[in-house]
PDB file of all heavy atoms in Angstrom:
ATOM      1  N   THR T   1     -40.723  12.058  47.786  1.00 89.00           N
ATOM      2  CA  THR T   1     -40.474  12.404  46.382  1.00 89.00           C
ATOM      3  C   THR T   1     -41.507  11.798  45.436  1.00 89.00           C
ATOM      4  O   THR T   1     -41.491  12.082  44.247  1.00 89.00           O
ATOM      5  CB  THR T   1     -39.065  11.956  45.941  1.00 89.00           C
ATOM      6  OG1 THR T   1     -38.990  10.528  46.021  1.00 89.00           O
ATOM      7  CG2 THR T   1     -37.980  12.586  46.805  1.00 89.00           C
ATOM      8  N   ASN T   2     -42.413  10.968  45.959  1.00 88.00           N
ATOM      9  CA  ASN T   2     -43.451  10.346  45.141  1.00 88.00           C
ATOM     10  C   ASN T   2     -44.402  11.430  44.617  1.00 88.00           C
ATOM     11  O   ASN T   2     -45.065  12.110  45.394  1.00 88.00           O
ATOM     12  CB  ASN T   2     -44.221   9.324  45.977  1.00 88.00           C
ATOM     13  CG  ASN T   2     -45.283   8.591  45.191  1.00 88.00           C
ATOM     14  OD1 ASN T   2     -45.688   9.025  44.114  1.00 88.00           O
ATOM     15  ND2 ASN T   2     -45.734   7.486  45.718  1.00 88.00           N
ATOM     16  N   PRO T   3     -44.504  11.584  43.307  1.00 85.00           N
ATOM     17  CA  PRO T   3     -45.344  12.653  42.752  1.00 85.00           C
ATOM     18  C   PRO T   3     -46.849  12.400  42.931  1.00 85.00           C
ATOM     19  O   PRO T   3     -47.651  13.305  42.728  1.00 85.00           O
ATOM     20  CB  PRO T   3     -44.963  12.664  41.269  1.00 85.00           C
ATOM     21  CG  PRO T   3     -44.436  11.300  40.996  1.00 85.00           C
ATOM     22  CD  PRO T   3     -43.811  10.828  42.281  1.00 85.00           C
ATOM     23  N   HIS T   4     -47.236  11.209  43.323  1.00 88.00           N
ATOM     24  CA  HIS T   4     -48.653  10.866  43.450  1.00 88.00           C
ATOM     25  C   HIS T   4     -49.199  11.083  44.858  1.00 88.00           C
ATOM     26  O   HIS T   4     -50.352  10.758  45.121  1.00 88.00           O
ATOM     27  CB  HIS T   4     -48.878   9.418  43.016  1.00 88.00           C
ATOM     28  CG  HIS T   4     -48.416   9.148  41.620  1.00 88.00           C
ATOM     29  ND1 HIS T   4     -49.014   9.706  40.508  1.00 88.00           N
ATOM     30  CD2 HIS T   4     -47.381   8.415  41.154  1.00 88.00           C
ATOM     31  CE1 HIS T   4     -48.383   9.314  39.419  1.00 88.00           C
ATOM     32  NE2 HIS T   4     -47.384   8.536  39.776  1.00 88.00           N
ATOM     33  N   LEU T   5     -48.393  11.624  45.749  1.00 85.00           N
ATOM     34  CA  LEU T   5     -48.862  11.875  47.110  1.00 85.00           C
ATOM     35  C   LEU T   5     -49.826  13.049  47.132  1.00 85.00           C
ATOM     36  O   LEU T   5     -49.591  14.072  46.474  1.00 85.00           O
ATOM     37  CB  LEU T   5     -47.690  12.211  48.035  1.00 85.00           C
ATOM     38  CG  LEU T   5     -46.836  11.067  48.557  1.00 85.00           C
ATOM     39  CD1 LEU T   5     -45.710  11.635  49.408  1.00 85.00           C
ATOM     40  CD2 LEU T   5     -47.648  10.080  49.346  1.00 85.00           C
ATOM     41  N   CYS T   6     -50.890  12.905  47.898  1.00 89.00           N
ATOM     42  CA  CYS T   6     -51.791  14.042  48.063  1.00 89.00           C
ATOM     43  C   CYS T   6     -51.184  15.001  49.094  1.00 89.00           C
ATOM     44  O   CYS T   6     -50.227  14.666  49.797  1.00 89.00           O
ATOM     45  CB  CYS T   6     -53.185  13.587  48.492  1.00 89.00           C
ATOM     46  SG  CYS T   6     -53.275  12.922  50.155  1.00 89.00           S
ATOM     47  N   LYS T   7     -51.737  16.186  49.199  1.00 89.00           N
ATOM     48  CA  LYS T   7     -51.187  17.215  50.084  1.00 89.00           C
ATOM     49  C   LYS T   7     -51.192  16.764  51.542  1.00 89.00           C
ATOM     50  O   LYS T   7     -50.237  16.997  52.286  1.00 89.00           O
ATOM     51  CB  LYS T   7     -51.985  18.508  49.925  1.00 89.00           C
ATOM     52  CG  LYS T   7     -51.395  19.666  50.691  1.00 89.00           C
ATOM     53  CD  LYS T   7     -52.117  20.953  50.389  1.00 89.00           C
ATOM     54  CE  LYS T   7     -51.442  22.080  51.140  1.00 89.00           C
ATOM     55  NZ  LYS T   7     -52.029  23.374  50.817  1.00 89.00           N
ATOM     56  N   VAL T   8     -52.258  16.082  51.962  1.00 91.00           N
ATOM     57  CA  VAL T   8     -52.363  15.617  53.356  1.00 91.00           C
ATOM     58  C   VAL T   8     -51.276  14.589  53.657  1.00 91.00           C
ATOM     59  O   VAL T   8     -50.593  14.675  54.679  1.00 91.00           O
ATOM     60  CB  VAL T   8     -53.766  15.029  53.642  1.00 91.00           C
ATOM     61  CG1 VAL T   8     -53.811  14.384  55.022  1.00 91.00           C
ATOM     62  CG2 VAL T   8     -54.825  16.101  53.509  1.00 91.00           C
ATOM     63  N   ASP T   9     -51.092  13.622  52.764  1.00 89.00           N
ATOM     64  CA  ASP T   9     -50.055  12.610  52.969  1.00 89.00           C
ATOM     65  C   ASP T   9     -48.666  13.245  52.992  1.00 89.00           C
ATOM     66  O   ASP T   9     -47.808  12.854  53.778  1.00 89.00           O
ATOM     67  CB  ASP T   9     -50.114  11.536  51.881  1.00 89.00           C
ATOM     68  CG  ASP T   9     -51.335  10.634  52.017  1.00 89.00           C
ATOM     69  OD1 ASP T   9     -51.921  10.582  53.122  1.00 89.00           O
ATOM     70  OD2 ASP T   9     -51.697   9.983  51.024  1.00 89.00           O
ATOM     71  N   SER T  10     -48.453  14.214  52.112  1.00 91.00           N
ATOM     72  CA  SER T  10     -47.161  14.906  52.092  1.00 91.00           C
ATOM     73  C   SER T  10     -46.909  15.614  53.417  1.00 91.00           C
ATOM     74  O   SER T  10     -45.801  15.559  53.959  1.00 91.00           O
ATOM     75  CB  SER T  10     -47.112  15.930  50.958  1.00 91.00           C
ATOM     76  OG  SER T  10     -47.142  15.291  49.719  1.00 91.00           O
ATOM     77  N   GLN T  11     -47.932  16.265  53.953  1.00 93.00           N
ATOM     78  CA  GLN T  11     -47.770  16.982  55.219  1.00 93.00           C
ATOM     79  C   GLN T  11     -47.498  16.017  56.366  1.00 93.00           C
ATOM     80  O   GLN T  11     -46.684  16.300  57.242  1.00 93.00           O
ATOM     81  CB  GLN T  11     -49.008  17.835  55.531  1.00 93.00           C
ATOM     82  CG  GLN T  11     -48.803  18.754  56.711  1.00 93.00           C
ATOM     83  CD  GLN T  11     -47.620  19.698  56.529  1.00 93.00           C
ATOM     84  OE1 GLN T  11     -47.499  20.348  55.494  1.00 93.00           O
ATOM     85  NE2 GLN T  11     -46.738  19.769  57.500  1.00 93.00           N
ATOM     86  N   ILE T  12     -48.152  14.867  56.347  1.00 93.00           N
ATOM     87  CA  ILE T  12     -47.900  13.846  57.373  1.00 93.00           C
ATOM     88  C   ILE T  12     -46.453  13.385  57.298  1.00 93.00           C
ATOM     89  O   ILE T  12     -45.767  13.265  58.317  1.00 93.00           O
ATOM     90  CB  ILE T  12     -48.881  12.666  57.222  1.00 93.00           C
ATOM     91  CG1 ILE T  12     -50.297  13.105  57.601  1.00 93.00           C
ATOM     92  CG2 ILE T  12     -48.443  11.477  58.078  1.00 93.00           C
ATOM     93  CD1 ILE T  12     -51.375  12.109  57.245  1.00 93.00           C
ATOM     94  N   LEU T  13     -45.974  13.134  56.082  1.00 94.00           N
ATOM     95  CA  LEU T  13     -44.574  12.728  55.917  1.00 94.00           C
ATOM     96  C   LEU T  13     -43.618  13.818  56.393  1.00 94.00           C
ATOM     97  O   LEU T  13     -42.628  13.524  57.072  1.00 94.00           O
ATOM     98  CB  LEU T  13     -44.279  12.386  54.450  1.00 94.00           C
ATOM     99  CG  LEU T  13     -44.680  10.991  53.994  1.00 94.00           C
ATOM    100  CD1 LEU T  13     -44.494  10.866  52.487  1.00 94.00           C
ATOM    101  CD2 LEU T  13     -43.883   9.934  54.717  1.00 94.00           C
ATOM    102  N   VAL T  14     -43.900  15.066  56.043  1.00 95.00           N
ATOM    103  CA  VAL T  14     -43.043  16.175  56.475  1.00 95.00           C
ATOM    104  C   VAL T  14     -43.005  16.248  58.001  1.00 95.00           C
ATOM    105  O   VAL T  14     -41.932  16.400  58.596  1.00 95.00           O
ATOM    106  CB  VAL T  14     -43.517  17.516  55.871  1.00 95.00           C
ATOM    107  CG1 VAL T  14     -42.843  18.701  56.549  1.00 95.00           C
ATOM    108  CG2 VAL T  14     -43.261  17.536  54.373  1.00 95.00           C
ATOM    109  N   ASN T  15     -44.154  16.117  58.637  1.00 96.00           N
ATOM    110  CA  ASN T  15     -44.197  16.146  60.104  1.00 96.00           C
ATOM    111  C   ASN T  15     -43.392  14.995  60.703  1.00 96.00           C
ATOM    112  O   ASN T  15     -42.663  15.177  61.684  1.00 96.00           O
ATOM    113  CB  ASN T  15     -45.640  16.099  60.606  1.00 96.00           C
ATOM    114  CG  ASN T  15     -46.384  17.380  60.332  1.00 96.00           C
ATOM    115  OD1 ASN T  15     -45.787  18.428  60.102  1.00 96.00           O
ATOM    116  ND2 ASN T  15     -47.706  17.308  60.329  1.00 96.00           N
ATOM    117  N   ASN T  16     -43.516  13.807  60.114  1.00 96.00           N
ATOM    118  CA  ASN T  16     -42.743  12.658  60.599  1.00 96.00           C
ATOM    119  C   ASN T  16     -41.249  12.865  60.390  1.00 96.00           C
ATOM    120  O   ASN T  16     -40.434  12.500  61.244  1.00 96.00           O
ATOM    121  CB  ASN T  16     -43.203  11.370  59.912  1.00 96.00           C
ATOM    122  CG  ASN T  16     -44.514  10.865  60.447  1.00 96.00           C
ATOM    123  OD1 ASN T  16     -44.854  11.100  61.606  1.00 96.00           O
ATOM    124  ND2 ASN T  16     -45.274  10.183  59.610  1.00 96.00           N
ATOM    125  N   ILE T  17     -40.885  13.444  59.253  1.00 96.00           N
ATOM    126  CA  ILE T  17     -39.471  13.715  58.975  1.00 96.00           C
ATOM    127  C   ILE T  17     -38.909  14.704  59.994  1.00 96.00           C
ATOM    128  O   ILE T  17     -37.823  14.492  60.544  1.00 96.00           O
ATOM    129  CB  ILE T  17     -39.295  14.237  57.530  1.00 96.00           C
ATOM    130  CG1 ILE T  17     -39.511  13.085  56.540  1.00 96.00           C
ATOM    131  CG2 ILE T  17     -37.938  14.895  57.327  1.00 96.00           C
ATOM    132  CD1 ILE T  17     -39.644  13.522  55.088  1.00 96.00           C
ATOM    133  N   LEU T  18     -39.648  15.763  60.262  1.00 97.00           N
ATOM    134  CA  LEU T  18     -39.192  16.751  61.249  1.00 97.00           C
ATOM    135  C   LEU T  18     -39.049  16.125  62.631  1.00 97.00           C
ATOM    136  O   LEU T  18     -38.078  16.396  63.353  1.00 97.00           O
ATOM    137  CB  LEU T  18     -40.158  17.938  61.295  1.00 97.00           C
ATOM    138  CG  LEU T  18     -40.202  18.799  60.039  1.00 97.00           C
ATOM    139  CD1 LEU T  18     -41.310  19.841  60.138  1.00 97.00           C
ATOM    140  CD2 LEU T  18     -38.850  19.449  59.788  1.00 97.00           C
ATOM    141  N   TRP T  19     -40.006  15.274  63.009  1.00 97.00           N
ATOM    142  CA  TRP T  19     -39.929  14.605  64.311  1.00 97.00           C
ATOM    143  C   TRP T  19     -38.718  13.687  64.370  1.00 97.00           C
ATOM    144  O   TRP T  19     -37.983  13.685  65.364  1.00 97.00           O
ATOM    145  CB  TRP T  19     -41.210  13.802  64.578  1.00 97.00           C
ATOM    146  CG  TRP T  19     -41.135  13.066  65.869  1.00 97.00           C
ATOM    147  CD1 TRP T  19     -41.394  13.556  67.107  1.00 97.00           C
ATOM    148  CD2 TRP T  19     -40.716  11.711  66.056  1.00 97.00           C
ATOM    149  NE1 TRP T  19     -41.178  12.585  68.058  1.00 97.00           N
ATOM    150  CE2 TRP T  19     -40.760  11.437  67.436  1.00 97.00           C
ATOM    151  CE3 TRP T  19     -40.320  10.696  65.187  1.00 97.00           C
ATOM    152  CZ2 TRP T  19     -40.421  10.200  67.967  1.00 97.00           C
ATOM    153  CZ3 TRP T  19     -39.980   9.462  65.719  1.00 97.00           C
ATOM    154  CH2 TRP T  19     -40.030   9.230  67.083  1.00 97.00           C
ATOM    155  N   LEU T  20     -38.504  12.899  63.303  1.00 97.00           N
ATOM    156  CA  LEU T  20     -37.358  11.985  63.283  1.00 97.00           C
ATOM    157  C   LEU T  20     -36.040  12.746  63.353  1.00 97.00           C
ATOM    158  O   LEU T  20     -35.121  12.335  64.075  1.00 97.00           O
ATOM    159  CB  LEU T  20     -37.390  11.116  62.021  1.00 97.00           C
ATOM    160  CG  LEU T  20     -38.390   9.965  62.033  1.00 97.00           C
ATOM    161  CD1 LEU T  20     -38.526   9.375  60.636  1.00 97.00           C
ATOM    162  CD2 LEU T  20     -37.970   8.902  63.028  1.00 97.00           C
ATOM    163  N   GLU T  21     -35.941  13.844  62.621  1.00 97.00           N
ATOM    164  CA  GLU T  21     -34.704  14.638  62.657  1.00 97.00           C
ATOM    165  C   GLU T  21     -34.444  15.169  64.063  1.00 97.00           C
ATOM    166  O   GLU T  21     -33.298  15.137  64.537  1.00 97.00           O
ATOM    167  CB  GLU T  21     -34.782  15.778  61.649  1.00 97.00           C
ATOM    168  CG  GLU T  21     -34.689  15.308  60.219  1.00 97.00           C
ATOM    169  CD  GLU T  21     -34.921  16.403  59.197  1.00 97.00           C
ATOM    170  OE1 GLU T  21     -35.554  17.437  59.527  1.00 97.00           O
ATOM    171  OE2 GLU T  21     -34.470  16.223  58.042  1.00 97.00           O
ATOM    172  N   ALA T  22     -35.486  15.631  64.734  1.00 97.00           N
ATOM    173  CA  ALA T  22     -35.327  16.141  66.105  1.00 97.00           C
ATOM    174  C   ALA T  22     -34.936  15.014  67.055  1.00 97.00           C
ATOM    175  O   ALA T  22     -34.057  15.185  67.917  1.00 97.00           O
ATOM    176  CB  ALA T  22     -36.616  16.810  66.571  1.00 97.00           C
ATOM    177  N   GLU T  23     -35.559  13.866  66.901  1.00 97.00           N
ATOM    178  CA  GLU T  23     -35.259  12.715  67.765  1.00 97.00           C
ATOM    179  C   GLU T  23     -33.815  12.246  67.557  1.00 97.00           C
ATOM    180  O   GLU T  23     -33.105  11.936  68.513  1.00 97.00           O
ATOM    181  CB  GLU T  23     -36.241  11.576  67.461  1.00 97.00           C
ATOM    182  CG  GLU T  23     -36.190  10.433  68.430  1.00 97.00           C
ATOM    183  CD  GLU T  23     -36.679  10.775  69.828  1.00 97.00           C
ATOM    184  OE1 GLU T  23     -37.437  11.745  69.989  1.00 97.00           O
ATOM    185  OE2 GLU T  23     -36.283  10.060  70.772  1.00 97.00           O
ATOM    186  N   ILE T  24     -33.376  12.214  66.312  1.00 97.00           N
ATOM    187  CA  ILE T  24     -32.000  11.809  66.012  1.00 97.00           C
ATOM    188  C   ILE T  24     -31.010  12.802  66.620  1.00 97.00           C
ATOM    189  O   ILE T  24     -30.005  12.390  67.217  1.00 97.00           O
ATOM    190  CB  ILE T  24     -31.788  11.664  64.486  1.00 97.00           C
ATOM    191  CG1 ILE T  24     -32.556  10.432  63.970  1.00 97.00           C
ATOM    192  CG2 ILE T  24     -30.305  11.560  64.140  1.00 97.00           C
ATOM    193  CD1 ILE T  24     -32.663  10.358  62.453  1.00 97.00           C
ATOM    194  N   ARG T  25     -31.298  14.100  66.497  1.00 97.00           N
ATOM    195  CA  ARG T  25     -30.404  15.108  67.106  1.00 97.00           C
ATOM    196  C   ARG T  25     -30.306  14.910  68.619  1.00 97.00           C
ATOM    197  O   ARG T  25     -29.228  15.017  69.201  1.00 97.00           O
ATOM    198  CB  ARG T  25     -30.889  16.523  66.778  1.00 97.00           C
ATOM    199  CG  ARG T  25     -30.513  17.003  65.400  1.00 97.00           C
ATOM    200  CD  ARG T  25     -30.759  18.494  65.225  1.00 97.00           C
ATOM    201  NE  ARG T  25     -32.119  18.892  65.514  1.00 97.00           N
ATOM    202  CZ  ARG T  25     -33.119  18.890  64.636  1.00 97.00           C
ATOM    203  NH1 ARG T  25     -32.904  18.495  63.405  1.00 97.00           N
ATOM    204  NH2 ARG T  25     -34.326  19.283  64.989  1.00 97.00           N
ATOM    205  N   GLU T  26     -31.436  14.637  69.255  1.00 97.00           N
ATOM    206  CA  GLU T  26     -31.453  14.416  70.708  1.00 97.00           C
ATOM    207  C   GLU T  26     -30.622  13.192  71.086  1.00 97.00           C
ATOM    208  O   GLU T  26     -29.828  13.234  72.024  1.00 97.00           O
ATOM    209  CB  GLU T  26     -32.898  14.248  71.191  1.00 97.00           C
ATOM    210  CG  GLU T  26     -33.026  13.905  72.651  1.00 97.00           C
ATOM    211  CD  GLU T  26     -32.567  15.010  73.590  1.00 97.00           C
ATOM    212  OE1 GLU T  26     -32.616  16.189  73.206  1.00 97.00           O
ATOM    213  OE2 GLU T  26     -32.154  14.686  74.714  1.00 97.00           O
ATOM    214  N   LEU T  27     -30.798  12.103  70.358  1.00 96.00           N
ATOM    215  CA  LEU T  27     -30.033  10.888  70.641  1.00 96.00           C
ATOM    216  C   LEU T  27     -28.544  11.102  70.379  1.00 96.00           C
ATOM    217  O   LEU T  27     -27.696  10.611  71.127  1.00 96.00           O
ATOM    218  CB  LEU T  27     -30.562   9.717  69.813  1.00 96.00           C
ATOM    219  CG  LEU T  27     -31.945   9.207  70.208  1.00 96.00           C
ATOM    220  CD1 LEU T  27     -32.454   8.200  69.184  1.00 96.00           C
ATOM    221  CD2 LEU T  27     -31.929   8.599  71.600  1.00 96.00           C
ATOM    222  N   GLU T  28     -28.219  11.836  69.319  1.00 96.00           N
ATOM    223  CA  GLU T  28     -26.810  12.131  69.033  1.00 96.00           C
ATOM    224  C   GLU T  28     -26.194  12.973  70.145  1.00 96.00           C
ATOM    225  O   GLU T  28     -25.029  12.766  70.514  1.00 96.00           O
ATOM    226  CB  GLU T  28     -26.679  12.826  67.680  1.00 96.00           C
ATOM    227  CG  GLU T  28     -26.916  11.912  66.509  1.00 96.00           C
ATOM    228  CD  GLU T  28     -26.956  12.626  65.165  1.00 96.00           C
ATOM    229  OE1 GLU T  28     -27.233  13.838  65.120  1.00 96.00           O
ATOM    230  OE2 GLU T  28     -26.722  11.952  64.147  1.00 96.00           O
TER     231      GLU T  28
END
């Protein structure tokens, strides 16, 4: 939600979020 993130950093965060969500679903 940080408005100062550049597009590359935002995409890295999105990729990490998607990976974490998938990992959490697998563990659950």
Side-chain angles (χ1 to χ4, degrees):
T1 63
N2 182 343
H4 303 293
L5 281 178
C6 69
K7 186 174 182 176
V8 173
D9 289 340
S10 293
Q11 189 57 49
I12 290 169
L13 278 173
V14 167
N15 289 340
N16 284 332
I17 288 168
L18 293 173
W19 178 83
L20 283 168
E21 288 173 338
E23 190 68 22
I24 290 168
R25 280 192 304 273
E26 175 66 27
L27 290 171
E28 288 173 337

